[in-house]
Amino acid sequence: MSYSKLADNMYVVIGGAFPKCNTVVIIADEIVIIDPGCVVEDLRRFLMTQDIQLKDIGTIILSHIHPDHITHAMRLNRLSNCRIAANEITAPLFNNKEEMKRFLGFDKGNPVRKLWERFVDERMYGALDEGRVDEVLCDGDKFNLGEVTLRTLYTPGHLPDHMCIELLEPNLVFTSDIDLTEFGPYYGHPNSSISDFESSIRKLRYGSYDGIISGHLKDPLVLDYKDRLTAYSRQIGMREDLVLSAILEGAKTIPEITANPIIYPSLTNPVFLQFETWMIEHHVASLLGNGLIEEENGKLVAV
Ligand SMILES: [Zn+2]
């Protein structure tokens, strides 16, 4: 178990890379957990160092509906009877897991739906448990926890429901899956949006935080976040150049582009091929929108 101290009453239990995530713990008027996706035993062991037990958790806040971020929400809810808070887009998805699957592109017609469900159950067990959000949040809503105030900040793109959580004291922001990992921005669902993702990155860059907290880095607190966000954002353009190169070299369809994967280096898992395909589809739409390629009789050609 490893954790990082952000302030006297604020910590991150390190979950690290997908399919885990970093979990923020705030010890104030109540115990607040943001994104319970770290190993639950690590969370329990960390809380013990503070003379707290899992059953003492008062509130869980979810940044968005991805299984790696909501993994233990219902397990902890059953243990502690804590309230679960999520924004107005996330809440109905959490309350109805079939809606969640549809939102993520895994409707009943998706050929890899069963494989994805199995992957979630094996690696993020509990994320598909039925449950209910107790408190529905809107953009800019505040949580006053005595010495600590939290505020929601909508940052769509990764998914339409993605939000960050500002920690007004000590002037930090948990940026969840705007995570500054080497992998780069992830927009691998039909309703992800590259342009919204770029806008959300700009929104964070214009902020005057003392640092940001990544949902997946092993060293979660990033102080030089403005430069890091610029480099992170640049990866989108680099990928788009690779997609354009593939089309210039003769790839005429999305399957022909993904035959040489651009996002994931090796595609042995059909679920990841699905994620790759959705990401490439966003780039192709972007290239079409920018007039750099055209579609003729279902075939992509460079202009
Ligand atoms: Zn996510």
Side-chain angles (χ1 to χ4, degrees):
M1 183 272 291
S2 64
Y3 67 91
S4 176
K5 183 173 181 176
L6 303 172
D8 281 344
N9 48 9
M10 207 172 282
Y11 301 84
V12 181
V13 180
I14 307 302
F18 175 81
K20 303 277 184 283
C21 83
N22 293 333
T23 296
V24 177
V25 179
I26 297 155
I27 303 165
D29 284 358
E30 59 172 312
I31 312 299
V32 175
I33 303 287
I34 303 175
D35 282 5
C38 68
V39 175
V40 76
E41 179 60 15
D42 287 353
L43 180 61
R44 188 185 70 81
R45 285 166 60 200
F46 165 73
L47 291 176
M48 277 174 62
T49 68
Q50 309 294 312
D51 286 325
I52 299 167
Q53 299 180 44
L54 290 173
K55 69 177 177 53
D56 299 326
I57 294 169
T59 297
I60 292 173
I61 303 176
L62 305 174
S63 68
H64 64 299
I65 197 63
H66 260 154
D68 55 322
H69 290 254
I70 67 170
T71 315
H72 305 301
M74 286 315 301
R75 187 170 302 131
L76 294 173
N77 171 266
R78 288 191 289 269
L79 261 174
S80 66
N81 203 28
C82 63
R83 64 176 170 163
I84 296 177
N87 71 49
E88 60 208 312
I89 310 170
T90 308
L93 308 172
F94 188 85
N95 294 347
N96 181 336
K97 294 301 188 299
E98 188 54 43
E99 284 296 317
M100 167 210 194
K101 291 172 191 175
R102 256 200 297 276
F103 182 79
L104 296 175
F106 294 105
D107 50 73
K108 287 185 174 149
N110 184 301
V112 297
R113 170 181 159 116
K114 286 268 176 279
L115 284 174
W116 173 80
E117 287 173 334
R118 196 183 309 157
F119 177 66
V120 172
D121 276 340
E122 283 173 358
R123 308 293 291 275
M124 293 159 272
Y125 184 69
L128 299 177
D129 285 5
E130 291 298 339
R132 281 206 76 74
V133 165
D134 303 290
E135 183 160 356
V136 178
L137 307 170
C138 297
D139 195 16
D141 276 358
K142 283 186 181 178
F143 270 81
N144 294 305
L145 304 167
E147 291 175 0
V148 179
T149 311
L150 310 182
R151 186 170 63 193
T152 58
L153 177 72
Y154 281 14
T155 46
H158 172 73
L159 275 173
D161 71 324
H162 186 273
M163 70 173 182
C164 298
I165 292 113
E166 296 175 315
L167 315 165
L168 298 186
E169 308 88 14
N171 195 29
L172 301 174
V173 57
F174 175 67
T175 59
S176 193
D177 275 343
I178 304 177
D179 57 14
L180 298 179
T181 53
E182 280 181 23
F183 175 84
Y186 177 89
Y187 33 87
H189 296 284
N191 56 1
S192 303
S193 160
I194 289 176
S195 60
D196 286 353
F197 208 134
E198 289 173 324
S199 299
S200 292
I201 290 172
R202 276 197 296 276
K203 193 191 280 191
L204 289 171
R205 282 193 76 254
Y206 293 142
S208 52
Y209 307 106
D210 290 339
I212 71 174
I213 306 153
S214 161
H216 287 289
L217 288 178
K218 284 204 159 56
D219 287 316
L221 179 60
V222 179
L223 301 179
D224 61 338
Y225 67 93
K226 299 209 177 200
D227 290 345
R228 296 275 293 273
L229 282 168
T230 302
Y232 183 71
S233 182
R234 207 172 283 140
Q235 294 186 65
I236 296 172
M238 288 159 58
R239 290 169 180 164
E240 194 135 314
D241 287 347
L242 290 171
V243 175
L244 181 57
S245 295
I247 294 167
L248 283 165
E249 285 164 16
K252 293 190 165 28
T253 60
I254 305 266
E256 285 177 17
I257 298 169
T258 58
N260 293 304
I262 287 170
I263 312 294
Y264 291 96
S266 75
L267 286 174
T268 50
N269 183 333
V271 175
F272 284 80
L273 175 58
Q274 175 68 88
F275 294 146
E276 170 101 12
T277 298
W278 279 328
M279 289 182 71
I280 298 302
E281 282 175 357
H282 289 302
H283 280 296
V284 166
S286 166
L287 289 166
L288 285 166
N290 291 330
L292 292 167
I293 61 171
E294 285 179 349
E295 196 164 7
E296 292 172 4
N297 303 321
K299 306 285 184 196
L300 303 168
V301 288
V303 174

